[in-house]
Amino acid sequence: MKESKSGKQNQQQQQLLQQHQKDHLSPFKLAKLLDPEASWDKDQLGDVLHWIRQVVALVCGLLWGAIPLVGGIWIVLFLAISSGIVYGYYAMILKIDEEEYGGHGALLQEGLFASVTLFLLAWILVYSLAHF
């Protein structure tokens, strides 16, 4: 009798664990990134926009440092490129209503300060290591 109860409990625990893993992994899938009909909550969209900015910041910082570019105009150009990519992603690819997520200002500001920091860090390090 004890074996059947413990067996049922183990089976229930395994089912709960599998359900938890499905719930944990299912909200985000790679195909969702390009699906304009996918539903996004505010945190998920914010995370995606944040990481897009970080990738753009790293690529631009490495490129700017390797070329070697100097001057404030390149910071402004990075900000324009980064904001343009983020805007194009959520407005043209995802086609979301930005008012549901706090407007253009909130979406364009997502990850901005962290990306500027990463951009400057990568730019300065690569420039200093490669050209001095």
Side-chain angles (χ1 to χ4, degrees), residues 81-95:
I81 290 171
S82 177
S83 295
I85 289 173
V86 167
Y87 176 78
Y89 178 71
Y90 77 76
M92 296 176 195
I93 294 176
L94 295 183
K95 297 178 182 168

Side-chain angles (χ1 to χ4, degrees), residues 34-96:
L34 300 175
D35 184 11
E37 295 182 15
S39 65
W40 292 90
D41 69 3
K42 192 172 184 176
D43 290 335
Q44 286 178 333
L45 183 61
D47 288 346
V48 169
L49 296 178
H50 172 87
W51 287 108
I52 288 173
R53 273 200 196 270
Q54 303 314 308
V55 170
V56 171
L58 188 60
V59 169
C60 286
L62 294 173
L63 186 64
W64 271 227
I67 288 181
L69 300 174
V70 294
I73 188 70
W74 301 108
I75 297 172
V76 174
L77 183 62
F78 160 70
L79 290 172
I81 290 171
S82 177
S83 295
I85 289 173
V86 167
Y87 176 78
Y89 178 71
Y90 77 76
M92 296 176 195
I93 294 176
L94 295 183
K95 297 178 182 168
I96 63 166

Side-chain angles (χ1 to χ4, degrees), residues 20-36:
H20 177 69
Q21 288 174 345
K22 285 180 186 177
D23 291 342
H24 184 64
L25 296 176
S26 65
F28 187 78
K29 294 180 182 166
L30 202 55
K32 185 178 180 179
L33 291 174
L34 300 175
D35 184 11

